[in-house]
Amino acid sequence: MNLFFFFSLLFSSFFNLSVARGGSSSSINSSGVVNGSFAASGRHLFADMKVSLAEQLQLKRLEELAKDYMSNSDLENALMSLNSRCSGISRVYSIGKSVHGVPLWVMEISDKPGKEEAEPAFKYIGNVHGDEPVGRELLILLANWLCDNYMKDPLATLIVDNAHLHILPSMNPDGFSLRRRGNANNIDLNRDFPDQFFHMNDDPGAHQPETKAIMRWLEEIHFTASASLHGGALVANYPWDGTENKKKYYYGCPDDETFKYMASIYSRSHHNMSLSEEFPGGITNGAFWYPIYGGMQDWNYLHAGCFELTLEISDDKWPNASELPTLFEYNKMSMLNLVASLVKTGIHGRIFSSDEGKPLPASIAIKGLNSTIHARETLADYHRLLVPGGKYEVIATMPGYKSRSTSIMLGEEAMTVDFVMDPVITPINSFLQRGWSCSLPGPHLEVFFILVLVLVSVFLCFLLKRRVVLNYPKQRQTKSSPKSVKLFLLLVFIL
């Protein structure tokens, strides 16, 4: 029995290391349901009875390891305590609840937390898979480090003063408690998002609560970039994660060069990720590694314009807790430099109208790239990640306004590119602006005077009808009616 116990642990440990961001294609069906109580089981190597025993041994092993990890309650308490200690640069809020009702707590770190600023926003998400808890621990350590080193360390100060960092330590608290990959409904949350290639997860009502929370989050906050932390490998993964025919090959997205640059920032800042023999430079295209569908990474980029990476930060999915400080040191500069890249590189700007100077939530495109981002509705600020050292033509477009473009040579540092856009002038707008110097914004000018015309027409019709009704009993023909009609026709002609 002792010998069997040894080999069971050996095989369990092996499979625990071998499944990373998506798991093998056979471990998860098309609906995202994880087959078996944990995705990395060696079910084909044992008879049914032995599989059950192996799973029990694996669960027992994880329970022992988890004793030195933070529980969900511990995690909540750690966030609240940190927020109290660093209330000037942090706030804690929830984006929703898990299947079992556990709050999905987020910590925002900024010099003005909770306030809108013309600054880029970045989010880190940990524990997408319940049996990959390293990320949740490292993100708490990261938040503490920023709190302790603000106004002391230049990099910490740069991030806090110039960006809004949002940290979700655990997207899957139920899966963590159950010591398994999927959530409480045994759904792999990294298969639960709408997919660009196949009709899956298209029903909004069918998504898991945790998935819905992420989707709402991106509707509320205009994120520039993001990264989710996983375990089971050591590599920075970038889009696309899937292919049109489900075959494995390199399939880059329109911003492939930018994503490779982002992934390389993380890999090269890491202790040894860039030295990988399996992944050149420590980075990989997801589809080239192995295709997955319904993933969060591609959905972020497609539906929210958020440049997301999938970071595999530990070969061992559930290492001994004594290794966590070392893993944090290995990943600390990578996590910091990735966030700081939003401030240090790329193009940033705001967009205004020329007639009133009001902010415009215009679209920003780069000539030659089939990719568009949008300025924020309120402040009209945009933050576009690009590879330094290139020449780009930046194009701003907005309905009702003339498009504007400018050519830039982007150096190693960030560049500010603001736009002032002129409203499209129609014949009616031109006449009114010349004659009346109306200060209404261009795209709304015609609408305003059409409404005036309608109101005047209704009012005159009411007067005509009233006079006819009053005079009808006396069988009198009104003399003022033609004047009213002439007045109406004159107003129509002028407008």
Side-chain angles (χ1 to χ4, degrees):
M1 181 62 186
N2 290 336
L3 186 61
F4 177 76
F5 178 84
F6 171 77
F7 281 108
S8 296
L9 285 180
L10 180 63
F11 278 112
S12 297
S13 177
F14 170 76
F15 284 104
N16 196 41
L17 299 180
S18 65
V19 181
R21 69 188 169 109
S24 61
S25 58
S26 61
S27 65
I28 304 165
N29 64 31
S30 60
S31 66
V33 177
V34 181
N35 297 322
S37 64
F38 59 98
S41 67
R43 59 186 178 281
H44 297 300
L45 301 180
F46 301 97
D48 290 342
M49 183 176 66
K50 291 184 179 180
V51 166
S52 177
L53 180 57
E55 291 177 351
Q56 290 178 25
L57 292 172
Q58 169 70 351
L59 185 59
K60 184 178 180 180
R61 170 181 176 270
L62 295 182
E63 287 293 345
E64 286 297 318
L65 289 171
K67 288 180 180 179
D68 295 320
Y69 280 73
M70 286 184 290
S71 67
N72 290 330
S73 296
D74 294 335
L75 186 69
E76 178 177 338
N77 292 334
L79 286 172
M80 299 306 174
S81 175
L82 177 59
N83 183 48
S84 298
R85 187 163 63 87
C86 296
S87 58
I89 61 168
S90 69
R91 74 176 177 115
V92 175
Y93 64 99
S94 172
I95 61 171
K97 293 184 177 181
S98 68
V99 174
H100 285 166
V102 180
L104 303 177
W105 294 112
V106 175
M107 169 165 279
E108 178 187 5
I109 298 178
S110 171
D111 60 338
K112 295 179 181 177
K115 295 183 180 180
E116 275 197 305
E117 297 183 278
E119 296 178 351
F122 188 100
K123 60 181 168 67
Y124 272 123
I125 300 177
N127 205 197
V128 178
H129 295 134
D131 61 347
E132 298 171 13
V134 173
R136 58 190 267 150
E137 297 278 345
L138 265 56
L139 289 177
I140 293 295
L141 292 173
L142 176 67
N144 273 281
W145 187 90
L146 287 169
C147 174
D148 293 337
N149 289 276
Y150 176 56
M151 301 302 292
K152 299 176 184 176
D153 182 271
L155 192 55
T157 306
L158 175 78
I159 291 172
V160 175
D161 285 347
N162 297 282
H164 286 254
L165 173 60
H166 298 253
I167 296 174
L168 172 62
S170 180
M171 179 181 169
N172 188 4
D174 296 346
F176 172 79
S177 295
L178 295 168
R179 316 296 185 231
R180 71 183 183 195
R181 182 184 185 85
N183 70 347
N185 292 328
N186 213 19
I187 299 295
D188 186 330
L189 298 178
N190 204 32
R191 298 293 188 283
D192 197 41
F193 289 82
D195 190 81
Q196 63 172 322
F197 299 119
F198 302 99
H199 292 291
M200 55 189 298
N201 308 324
D202 291 336
D203 180 7
H207 295 138
Q208 296 300 299
E210 299 89 346
T211 308
K212 292 178 181 178
I214 296 295
M215 297 172 81
R216 286 194 305 268
W217 195 20
L218 271 83
E219 291 177 357
E220 297 168 359
I221 298 179
H222 198 82
F223 288 107
T224 300
S226 173
S228 63
L229 306 185
H230 295 253
L234 197 62
V235 66
N237 179 96
Y238 56 89
W240 296 122
D241 260 344
T243 60
E244 295 175 295
N245 56 12
K246 294 189 177 183
K247 293 183 178 179
K248 172 186 170 181
Y249 55 89
Y250 194 108
Y251 199 41
C253 70
D255 283 290
D256 187 58
E257 293 300 319
T258 300
F259 271 108
K260 286 192 290 187
Y261 172 71
M262 291 174 60
S264 295
I265 289 176
Y266 197 93
S267 176
R268 291 171 184 170
S269 302
H270 190 274
H271 174 72
N272 59 352
M273 184 180 288
S274 64
L275 304 178
S276 171
E277 295 183 0
E278 180 181 2
F279 305 103
I283 68 174
T284 186
N285 171 260
F288 184 72
W289 187 7
Y290 57 90
I292 71 168
Y293 300 92
M296 182 168 66
Q297 173 182 268
D298 289 4
W299 181 87
N300 266 264
Y301 176 63
L302 278 171
H303 294 274
C306 176
F307 288 47
E308 177 159 300
L309 298 176
T310 302
L311 303 174
E312 303 286 349
I313 58 172
S314 170
D315 283 319
D316 191 344
K317 284 191 172 189
W318 206 309
N320 193 292
S322 62
E323 299 178 32
L324 292 174
T326 300
L327 288 171
F328 176 65
E329 288 302 317
Y330 284 2
N331 286 275
K332 181 180 72 176
M333 291 309 301
S334 296
M335 292 190 286
L336 293 170
N337 285 335
L338 184 59
V339 180
S341 69
L342 271 64
V343 178
K344 292 182 174 182
T345 62
I347 58 174
H348 309 260
R350 299 183 69 186
I351 308 166
F352 303 93
S353 64
S354 62
D355 50 356
E356 284 193 329
K358 70 170 186 175
L360 298 176
S363 299
I364 295 292
I366 305 298
K367 186 176 181 180
L369 294 180
N370 185 23
S371 172
T372 302
I373 65 167
H374 301 281
R376 193 165 11 188
E377 286 283 340
T378 50
L379 300 178
D381 61 310
Y382 75 91
H383 310 275
R384 182 58 159 92
L385 296 172
L386 290 168
V387 180
K391 185 177 181 180
Y392 302 97
E393 183 175 344
V394 189
I395 306 167
T397 57
M398 174 82 180
Y401 289 83
K402 297 178 182 178
S403 63
R404 296 294 302 270
S405 66
T406 184
S407 293
I408 63 166
M409 178 61 73
L410 183 62
E412 294 298 319
E413 297 182 353
M415 178 179 290
T416 299
V417 183
D418 294 328
F419 287 95
V420 177
M421 303 184 71
D422 299 321
V424 175
I425 304 298
T426 65
I428 291 179
N429 279 349
S430 179
F431 171 78
L432 291 170
Q433 288 175 346
R434 287 199 310 269
W436 294 357
S437 298
C438 183
S439 62
L440 285 171
H444 304 295
L445 197 57
E446 290 184 54
V447 176
F448 172 77
F449 283 102
I450 289 173
L451 289 174
V452 171
L453 177 60
V454 170
L455 291 174
V456 170
S457 301
V458 171
F459 179 70
L460 290 176
C461 288
F462 172 76
L463 290 178
L464 288 172
K465 183 176 180 181
R466 184 172 181 273
R467 179 173 289 276
V468 169
V469 171
L470 290 173
N471 292 338
Y472 179 75
K474 299 180 181 181
Q475 297 295 315
R476 292 173 57 188
Q477 183 176 6
T478 179
K479 294 181 180 181
S480 60
S481 181
K483 292 181 180 179
S484 298
V485 173
K486 289 179 181 178
L487 178 60
F488 171 71
L489 293 175
L490 179 62
L491 285 170
V492 171
F493 174 76
I494 292 175
L495 294 174

